[in-house]
Amino acid sequence: MVDLDLEKFFDRVNHDILMSRVARKIRDKRVLGLIGRYLKAGIMAEGLVKLRSEGTPQGGPLSPLLSNILLDELDKELEQRGHRFCRYADDANIYVCTRRSGERVMKSVTRFLEKRLKLRVNCEKSAVDRPWGRTFLGYSMSWHHKPRLKVAGESVKRFKDKLRSIVRQNRSSNLKRLAQEQLAPLLRGWINYFQLTQTRGVIEQLGQWLRRQRRCSQWRQWKRAFTRARHLMRLGLKEQQAWRSATNGRGPWWNAGAAHMNLAMPKKHFDALGLVSLLDQLHQLQRTSRTAVYGTVRTVV
């Protein structure tokens, strides 16, 4: 597989080449003039306005459309060569059979981009590798004979860091309020994006890790052994087990993964508080997706 990444694409788009491609699609000169003024709009740098000679405005609603118009030429070139590929904005994956083929395609496509479209390939982020060795839009592939789509390890790590930061900032806050107001929108949005994953083990582990984080925070909030024992008994543990657990001398993270905290605060405890279960949410999304597809097929038949 050839993983291509264009270096500072939105900052280095050549205006003349871009406008020539746009002119092939649009005949109205007034619209072309408006797009030209949009591209040349000044940028604020160190308190001064500088004229833009290349690139498109970052975050502008028109920039993604213009980038697709420009890179449509790359798509057509790859189709003409008979390559299988996937492109999103300035990231593209081209699928080939061997490493030698990948290196040859990398060189020829790089040459095409630099000479035809005046774009530069980021050599540090681009590579020829196995699909499971690369990340594309947060996804990766499993190494099986029939590869399956999965959440990339980097995506999981970034998400964990974000969740860890939120949990640390709200250690003393009410668990129910935190789960419903801050964690729920974040968890639903993340799993909605990664609902195409075909490997559920990572999602299940992430859900277990998050519940352990919350048990760890709860253990820290209880502070004293007497308080811990009292709360553990209130959550259903017998007095002897509660006192033995509360006085074990272990740290918060160890206790958060121990049997007594799993018994006192099982998954259904967090479900009742409104903490979104990533695995349950994934099952629901995939079930809804299958129902929609099969329903459409039946309607067509």
Side-chain angles (χ1 to χ4, degrees):
M1 183 190 80
V2 179
D3 186 3
L4 275 177
D5 182 84
L6 298 179
E7 186 176 351
K8 296 182 179 179
F9 173 73
F10 289 100
D11 293 332
R12 292 182 173 173
V13 171
N14 185 286
H15 286 177
D16 294 334
I17 294 176
L18 175 58
M19 288 306 299
S20 68
R21 276 30 176 205
V22 173
R24 295 176 186 176
K25 308 286 184 181
I26 301 172
R27 301 297 180 186
D28 193 324
K29 291 184 179 180
R30 293 173 299 176
V31 176
L32 291 173
L34 187 62
I35 294 173
R37 289 197 296 274
Y38 168 80
L39 291 174
K40 294 176 182 177
I43 55 175
M44 185 73 73
E46 298 178 358
L48 299 173
V49 178
K50 296 182 180 180
L51 295 178
R52 187 192 300 273
S53 58
E54 61 179 0
T56 62
Q58 290 279 2
L62 195 58
S63 295
L65 175 61
L66 294 175
S67 70
N68 276 327
I69 291 175
L70 179 63
L71 292 174
D72 182 59
E73 193 162 339
L74 172 63
D75 296 345
K76 286 184 167 56
E77 176 68 18
L78 295 175
E79 288 172 358
Q80 188 177 349
R81 296 184 186 185
H83 291 309
R84 293 184 177 183
F85 67 95
C86 182
R87 181 183 67 79
Y88 184 85
D90 57 335
D91 291 324
N93 283 350
I94 307 170
Y95 303 99
V96 293
C97 296
T98 64
R99 175 172 287 276
R100 182 177 294 181
S101 300
E103 290 171 352
R104 186 178 64 250
V105 169
M106 173 73 84
K107 289 179 182 178
S108 61
V109 171
T110 299
R111 189 164 52 248
F112 171 84
L113 288 167
E114 290 178 351
K115 291 186 176 181
R116 191 75 170 269
L117 300 178
K118 304 299 181 186
L119 296 173
R120 190 178 302 171
V121 173
N122 189 328
C123 297
E124 293 182 0
K125 294 184 179 180
S126 302
V128 177
D129 200 354
R130 298 286 191 182
W132 50 84
R134 306 298 294 177
T135 300
F136 185 63
L137 304 179
Y139 282 93
S140 187
M141 302 289 289
S142 68
W143 51 266
H144 300 90
H145 179 66
K146 290 184 178 180
R148 289 187 281 177
L149 205 60
K150 68 174 187 177
V151 183
E154 294 175 8
S155 302
V156 175
K157 183 180 181 301
R158 283 196 299 269
F159 190 56
K160 272 188 173 183
D161 290 341
K162 194 168 187 178
L163 289 173
R164 193 181 287 112
S165 175
I166 292 174
V167 170
R168 283 175 178 173
Q169 290 172 9
N170 297 273
R171 278 179 180 171
S172 60
S173 63
N174 180 273
L175 177 57
K176 187 172 184 179
R177 188 182 304 114
L178 173 64
Q180 294 178 355
E181 294 179 4
Q182 294 197 49
L183 293 178
L186 183 64
L187 293 167
R188 286 198 181 97
W190 190 85
I191 199 62
N192 261 297
Y193 181 82
F194 288 108
Q195 63 177 291
L196 298 177
T197 183
Q198 296 170 305
T199 56
R200 299 176 183 179
V202 173
I203 305 299
E204 186 175 7
Q205 290 171 11
L206 189 56
Q208 292 170 352
W209 174 86
L210 179 59
R211 288 191 290 274
R212 187 172 180 178
Q213 281 280 349
R214 294 311 304 144
R215 294 188 190 105
C216 183
S217 296
Q218 193 67 75
W219 188 265
R220 282 196 175 98
Q221 283 182 22
W222 291 339
K223 294 182 180 178
R224 295 183 302 168
F226 174 79
T227 307
R228 289 167 179 169
R230 180 164 53 85
H231 280 288
L232 288 173
M233 284 187 284
R234 185 174 57 81
L235 289 169
L237 267 65
K238 294 181 179 179
E239 183 177 356
Q240 184 179 0
Q241 185 183 10
W243 277 105
R244 187 170 60 250
S245 302
T247 57
N248 60 35
R250 300 275 190 165
W253 184 249
W254 185 91
N255 277 283
H260 56 268
M261 283 298 282
N262 279 278
L263 286 171
M265 302 176 73
K267 178 180 176 296
K268 62 181 181 181
H269 172 83
F270 294 101
D271 291 341
L273 291 173
L275 183 67
V276 172
S277 167
L278 290 172
L279 191 60
D280 291 349
Q281 195 76 9
L282 178 65
H283 287 158
Q284 183 179 347
L285 288 167
Q286 293 183 341
R287 188 163 53 246
T288 303
S289 178
R290 284 196 298 270
T291 302
V293 169
Y294 292 141
T296 304
V297 170
R298 292 192 190 98
T299 304
V300 172
V301 173

